[in-house]
Amino acid sequence: MCGTKPMIVGVSDGYGGNTWRKTGLAEVKDELSRCKNVTRVIYSNANGDPQKANSDINSMVAQGINVLILLPDFGAVQLPAMRAAMKAGVAVVPYSAQMTGTPGRDYVVNVVGDTQQIGVLWADWLGTTLKKGNVVFMGGSPGATTSQNFMDGLRGGLKKYPDLKLLNEQYIVTNWNPVDAQKATVGLIAQYPKIDAIVTDGGETALAAVKAFEQAHLPVPAIATIASDNQVNCHYMSAKQSGKPYPYYTLDGTTTYVRFAVRQGVAAYQGTVNKESPSILPFAYADSAKGLDPKCDPTAPPDADLTSALPPQKLKAVFER
């Protein structure tokens, strides 16, 4: 897949700096280490500024990148810069966020988790473990396509389980922010006298929901989520060890999505073959119904993702940065 042409690879982040993003960058470099014809890796972090994100891409193109891997945090706003890079002959691959735009013109391919199928996996877990009760889905920011797709998959999956009722027509907005998520959960507790399961599209949201129930001195409902982190998993293990376990299911391995993006980009630029699907299914990392416990590492950062594909020493090095 590496081909023979020398290549410079650009990696563009909209919000860099947290442990998940640092892990992703390390995964890029680890994946590219297999290709001896990579001459340079250029990294940019827009620090939450969409204008800088676009100028970063333009700057990398000017520096001669051949492959661009990016997490398009700002959505369609980034399409013009991506399209210009493609016109300049760069193989552009956005990952982890679903993009509008046209494959082949605005980017090579969009590498994302199969949100619909993930929603179905959550529904199947609830259907087999909980069997009946009231379910709430908590998403991210208003209008987030990924949250809507997750919810659509969950809603569709729950049709097989008529004794499970989805209480909310629209996903609960949390902005993927623990403070907002905790406030939203407090509101849900006040609104619905009985909540048997909470499904979220992020580990931080899941932990905020758990804490809201604990602070209200209520039993924690079943929790199904994706992209957990060290903090939420340590909290679950602590609750289990103290004799207050709650049903818990999380799908993980999301830092590895970038490796799929790298392989797609390299193959597109080199003209080599990559038959992998751009639609990825994460794996079950914790499943209380099957006795599958997540790992908790008190020495790792709270937001560390221990489901990375990095070798242990390389992952430890990420945490020490």
Side-chain angles (χ1 to χ4, degrees), residues 10-316:
V11 182
S12 170
D13 254 338
Y15 297 91
N18 67 21
T19 306
W20 192 90
R21 300 295 175 114
K22 289 177 184 174
T23 305
L25 179 60
E27 299 238 21
V28 170
K29 291 176 178 175
D30 188 58
E31 190 69 26
L32 287 172
S33 67
R34 305 175 193 192
C35 297
K36 304 304 174 197
N37 47 337
V38 174
T39 58
R40 191 179 171 200
V41 177
I42 304 172
Y43 175 72
S44 70
N45 171 16
N47 281 316
D49 181 345
Q51 205 170 343
K52 184 178 186 302
N54 284 348
S55 65
D56 284 344
I57 291 171
N58 296 337
S59 169
M60 284 199 242
V61 173
Q63 291 176 71
I65 60 165
N66 310 109
V67 177
L68 173 63
I69 308 301
L70 77 155
L71 208 166
D73 291 283
F74 313 107
V77 174
Q78 295 188 251
L79 283 173
M82 291 161 63
R83 193 177 305 135
M86 286 282 285
K87 275 186 181 172
V90 178
V92 177
V93 183
Y95 76 100
S96 266
Q98 284 167 317
M99 293 293 290
T100 54
T102 308
R105 184 191 70 167
D106 300 318
Y107 47 81
V108 174
V109 70
N110 188 187
V111 173
V112 287
D114 188 340
T115 45
Q116 294 271 341
Q117 187 56 34
I118 290 163
V120 171
L121 290 175
W122 286 330
D124 286 341
W125 181 77
L126 291 170
T128 52
T129 55
L130 198 62
K131 296 186 172 62
K132 62 179 181 180
N134 295 329
V135 181
V136 169
F137 179 73
M138 302 176 76
S141 54
T145 310
T146 46
S147 292
Q148 190 57 57
N149 288 346
F150 277 133
M151 186 164 184
D152 290 345
L154 176 65
R155 185 187 283 116
L158 287 174
K159 285 177 182 172
K160 286 183 284 184
Y161 309 102
D163 291 333
L164 286 169
K165 184 188 176 190
L166 190 60
L167 292 176
N168 50 319
E169 278 303 306
Q170 305 296 324
Y171 64 82
I172 306 299
V173 170
T174 69
N175 299 308
W176 294 296
N177 175 308
V179 176
D180 292 350
Q182 201 153 346
K183 282 181 189 169
T185 309
V186 170
L188 288 168
I189 291 169
Q191 186 177 358
Y192 300 112
K194 192 168 185 287
I195 298 172
D196 301 288
I198 289 184
V199 183
T200 78
D201 59 0
E204 280 195 336
T205 308
L207 181 59
V210 168
K211 286 181 174 177
F213 273 85
E214 288 174 341
Q215 286 167 16
H217 304 291
L218 292 168
V220 176
I223 300 290
T225 190
I226 188 171
S228 69
D229 59 22
N230 195 37
Q231 187 172 218
V232 68
N233 289 325
C234 286
H235 192 92
Y236 168 73
M237 291 306 295
S238 174
K240 183 179 177 181
Q241 284 153 14
S242 66
K244 293 180 181 175
Y246 45 87
Y248 179 52
Y249 178 68
T250 179
L251 298 163
D252 278 281
T254 57
T255 64
T256 66
Y257 287 10
V258 73
R259 291 179 182 264
F260 290 81
V262 167
R263 293 193 289 268
Q264 292 281 1
V266 167
Y269 174 66
Q270 294 288 346
T272 50
V273 177
N274 178 12
K275 293 182 179 178
E276 290 176 306
S277 168
S279 189
I280 308 163
L281 265 185
F283 57 87
Y285 185 60
D287 184 345
S288 58
K290 292 184 177 173
L292 176 62
D293 286 338
K295 190 176 175 188
C296 163
D297 183 353
T299 65
D303 66 343
D305 187 330
L306 302 177
T307 69
S308 161
L310 286 168
Q313 283 308 109
K314 285 191 178 181
L315 187 59
K316 192 179 176 195

